[in-house]
Amino acid sequence: RAEAGVRAGLIAALLLAATAAQAQPSLTRFNAFEPATPAGSTSGVIQTKVAGRSFMLALVALTADRSAVRSDFTGAVRVELLDAGNDSGALDAASGCRNSWTVIRTLAPNPAFSAGDGGRIQVALEEPDAWRVLRVRISSPPGSINSVGCSTDAFAVRPAQLIDAQASAGSDSTPGLARLLANTDPTAGIVH
């Protein structure tokens, strides 16, 4: 009888612990990549973008160890473009972010994952300026320091066009400003 009481108490404690674990939200990490990346992927590439033109990215919610998609994830997220040209800050292995990366743009309004999204959504972004190295940071709830992830791939935003660009050289074999390289004939003229 005493043994049955201990067993019932143990079962009740286990059920209580399981219920408490279900009530607490799971830690989530995130990644971003090209929308053409196959479903179920946890990582992928982001190709170079053009300044001033809209582009799409896939955002994916991941498990805490970033090994699988969290298809049950729902809620709003903050999406930020980061200048990732400064790698002097320590890399947070869990989130994939560095504290030396600075925010240059925040997507508004905050996008949200719904129950039917399977842990993956697409968002439209636009960056008016050219950047050498960018990354995407996603956090939930918006601005959280706990459930956050940076894109595993960095990307560039190139200028849409070059206006009045001029190339020059010091001589045919040295750099410099002495000679304008303004050939109009591909077989003759000043070359470097």
Side-chain angles (χ1 to χ4, degrees):
R1 207 169 189 200
E3 195 174 302
V6 169
R7 196 173 313 158
L10 181 59
I11 291 171
L14 288 173
L15 288 174
L16 183 62
T19 302
Q22 288 175 350
Q24 294 179 5
S26 298
L27 186 62
T28 304
R29 299 298 180 198
F30 298 95
N31 201 356
F33 39 72
E34 292 294 328
T37 305
S41 297
T42 59
S43 65
V45 300
I46 302 176
Q47 298 172 343
T48 298
K49 306 303 176 191
V50 178
R53 295 190 188 154
S54 180
F55 59 92
M56 299 296 289
L57 287 178
L59 307 181
V60 63
L62 302 173
T63 56
D65 64 359
R66 299 175 72 117
S67 66
V69 175
R70 276 209 49 207
S71 58
D72 64 334
F73 178 78
T74 59
V77 294
R78 177 181 288 170
V79 179
E80 300 165 307
L81 291 180
L82 305 177
D83 175 0
N86 178 356
D87 278 345
S88 65
L91 179 67
D92 179 339
S95 69
C97 302
R98 293 183 189 271
N99 61 11
S100 56
W101 295 343
T102 57
V103 177
I104 60 165
R105 183 134 352 269
T106 302
L107 181 63
N110 293 327
F113 287 77
S114 300
D117 292 330
R120 181 172 167 163
I121 60 173
Q122 288 188 38
V123 296
L125 297 149
E126 184 175 324
E127 174 49 43
D129 298 318
W131 293 89
R132 187 176 60 85
V133 184
L134 292 181
R135 291 199 187 247
V136 180
R137 179 169 60 199
I138 304 113
S139 57
S140 177
S144 170
I145 61 169
N146 297 319
S147 287
V148 64
C150 285
S151 59
T152 54
D153 196 28
F155 65 103
V157 177
R158 69 169 178 81
Q161 62 182 340
L162 298 175
I163 301 172
D164 295 329
Q166 295 183 349
S168 62
S171 71
D172 63 345
S173 60
T174 60
L177 302 174
R179 305 175 322 142
L180 187 62
L181 302 175
N183 293 341
T184 56
D185 182 348
T187 61
I190 301 172
V191 296
H192 179 75

